[in-house]
Amino acid sequence: VQIGLHGAFTGPLASSGVFFGEGALDYVRHLNEVQGGIDGVRVEIPWEDTKALVAQSMSAHKRFKEKGVVAELIVESGPCEVLAPIAQRDKTPVIYEGGPSEGMLTSPLRWVFGVVFSVDAWGTACAYWIEDRVWAEERPPRIGVVIFDVAAVRSVMEGVKRYADELGYEFIGYETVPLLAPIDTTVEWLRMAAREPDWVIIACYASSLVTVVKDVARLEIAKKGIGLITSPAALDEVMVRIIGEDSEGLYSSQCYPSPTVETELPEMKVLLEAAKKYRGYEPEKMTTWYVVGWTNAMVAVEGIRLAMEKVGIDDLNGAAVRDALASIKDFDTGLLPPGSMSDDKPWLSDYFRVYQVKQGKFVSATEWIKTPVLWPWE
């Protein structure tokens, strides 16, 4: 049985994408070595280095189709949104590392599934945490958003704007920085600071995040009394190491547990042992993106296992795996709270948590929090 992996081992997202790919590959290797595959059936995971780019992902999908893969894993929203209708046509389900966005929806059946809740609600989750768990004044907190300009990340901002009244905060506007490798974001930060926000949600990724956070420190934005939190998957352990001391004090929202903090989770112990065995990674050098890849492969395998139970190995195909993914009930990964998936809810987990950077390391700021908004574009 084969699962196709759209890797980002090189290119603009490689700092995180390498670990995503390694986590997925290592889960499958561990599954075959320790458990003998799925009920004795070996799992293979052919991969393509798509660099998280659309054209390369489309070519990879064609090659995966020729190989007969029954599911695909993908790491970036843009290629996934383009791939969604093609996956539907070719009857190959796709598992996206984030939450399915509006652009990933297919009808009447879903062909893109997420392990975590809709990316459109990620910023709203941060705003909810600010208003419900942090803010102590009687007036509503004033919240702004800084994004880089891709469709899914723009939806992060739009979700924050749409739910301001319902969740009890004031949305004061947003600023957009260039997509990948901006040189300077001073103008955008000065405009945002002039709005007098209490908190700013930073929804920027990869090299854009590096410049944005370093400019935050240079302009002393936090010293103006402005709280700062990054949207899920933006600031992980790798980015903290790249940014260095300028990341100190930042809050990071995550939909997956940190392997440097949540070391006692049942599956985390297995994962950490595998990472050390296969990659030589010590726990303190691990990254959440490895957990993301491991968990995504685990969910794909669960879908395949359920499909095999229903149709057998001889009749196993992408359509059967799709139906099985949409029928997952109370699946416990040992990393996330147990979750279910369906065509009405094409993701597994409804939860997020918050970490803070202290002395260059993540420390836990919350336990799991159930997000109040799951489909902000309904």
Side-chain angles (χ1 to χ4, degrees):
V1 177
Q2 296 189 82
I3 303 167
L5 169 65
H6 295 251
F9 295 101
T10 61
L13 298 183
S15 296
S16 302
V18 165
F19 292 98
F20 171 83
E22 290 178 345
L25 292 168
D26 290 355
Y27 173 76
V28 170
R29 182 177 179 181
H30 170 81
L31 176 77
N32 289 326
E33 289 183 0
V34 177
Q35 300 181 33
I38 305 172
D39 297 330
V41 176
R42 181 178 176 82
V43 180
E44 295 180 352
I45 186 164
W47 58 269
E48 297 272 347
D49 184 15
T50 67
K51 308 181 192 306
L53 300 175
V54 171
Q56 284 85 335
S57 290
M58 298 308 103
S59 297
H61 169 74
K62 291 180 180 179
R63 287 189 284 271
F64 290 148
K65 181 182 176 183
E66 292 173 355
K67 290 177 180 291
V69 306
V70 296
E72 297 179 31
L73 307 179
I74 195 164
V75 70
E76 210 281 324
S77 62
C80 193
E81 291 185 340
V82 176
L83 182 58
I86 301 171
Q88 180 182 32
R89 180 198 66 194
D90 294 340
K91 293 182 168 51
T92 307
V94 176
I95 298 172
Y96 170 53
E97 60 83 13
S101 67
E102 187 174 12
M104 298 174 197
L105 296 186
T106 55
S107 294
L109 301 177
R110 310 306 191 199
W111 286 87
V112 175
F113 294 87
V115 177
V116 299
F117 60 90
S118 169
V119 66
D120 304 64
W122 283 5
T124 315
C126 295
Y128 170 71
W129 171 73
I130 293 166
E131 193 283 327
D132 188 68
R133 304 298 178 91
V134 178
W135 192 247
E137 297 186 31
E138 291 186 5
R139 66 174 178 85
R142 295 168 52 83
I143 299 177
V145 184
V146 173
I147 64 171
F148 72 9
D149 206 1
V150 298
V153 176
R154 181 168 286 273
S155 295
V156 171
M157 176 276 298
E158 291 170 349
V160 176
K161 178 180 179 180
R162 185 173 300 119
Y163 279 81
D165 290 340
E166 181 174 328
L167 295 181
Y169 56 86
E170 181 182 352
F171 175 71
I172 62 166
Y174 71 99
E175 292 291 334
T176 304
V177 304
L179 172 63
L180 300 179
I183 297 173
D184 183 89
T185 60
T186 298
V187 172
E188 291 83 357
W189 274 115
L190 291 179
R191 282 200 299 248
M192 177 58 69
R195 295 187 175 99
E196 299 183 347
D198 297 304
W199 280 82
V200 175
I201 299 167
I202 301 173
C204 302
Y205 293 78
S207 56
S208 293
L209 181 68
V210 177
T211 302
V212 164
V213 172
K214 286 189 170 292
D215 284 349
V216 163
R218 178 174 56 81
L219 298 169
E220 298 185 335
I221 297 297
K223 291 184 179 180
K224 302 179 189 296
I226 300 172
L228 299 159
I229 183 171
T230 58
S231 56
L235 183 70
D236 71 330
E237 297 86 351
V238 171
M239 297 307 294
V240 169
R241 294 166 199 155
I242 292 172
I243 295 169
E245 62 183 12
D246 288 339
S247 64
E248 188 70 14
L250 282 179
Y251 288 93
S252 169
S253 63
Q254 296 286 347
C255 296
Y256 294 86
S258 167
T260 62
V261 181
E262 319 301 338
T263 57
E264 297 303 311
L265 292 173
E267 188 70 12
M268 191 70 78
K269 294 180 180 180
V270 176
L271 178 154
L272 290 172
E273 290 176 2
K276 185 172 183 178
K277 177 181 177 181
Y278 300 142
R279 307 287 172 182
Y281 294 156
E282 296 294 337
E284 63 272 14
K285 295 297 183 182
M286 285 289 285
T287 167
T288 301
W289 277 100
Y290 187 96
V291 180
V292 177
W294 182 282
T295 310
N296 279 237
M298 180 183 289
V299 172
V301 165
E302 177 65 6
I304 294 169
R305 185 188 68 79
L306 292 173
M308 286 172 55
E309 284 184 354
K310 186 171 183 179
V311 305
I313 184 63
D314 292 335
D315 294 324
L316 185 69
N317 55 31
V321 174
R322 191 227 76 85
D323 292 346
L325 288 167
S327 71
I328 289 178
K329 302 294 183 186
D330 300 320
F331 180 46
D332 188 355
T333 62
L335 295 164
L336 306 170
S340 303
M341 293 201 296
S342 67
D343 284 306
D344 292 330
K345 179 183 172 293
W347 68 86
L348 187 72
S349 174
D350 299 342
Y351 294 83
F352 72 102
R353 64 193 310 157
V354 178
Y355 297 96
Q356 188 179 23
V357 181
K358 291 187 177 181
Q359 297 181 340
K361 297 180 179 180
F362 272 179
V363 297
S364 184
T366 71
E367 297 298 321
W368 289 113
I369 302 171
K370 186 172 183 178
T371 179
V373 177
L374 298 172
W375 292 101
W377 23 261
E378 280 189 340

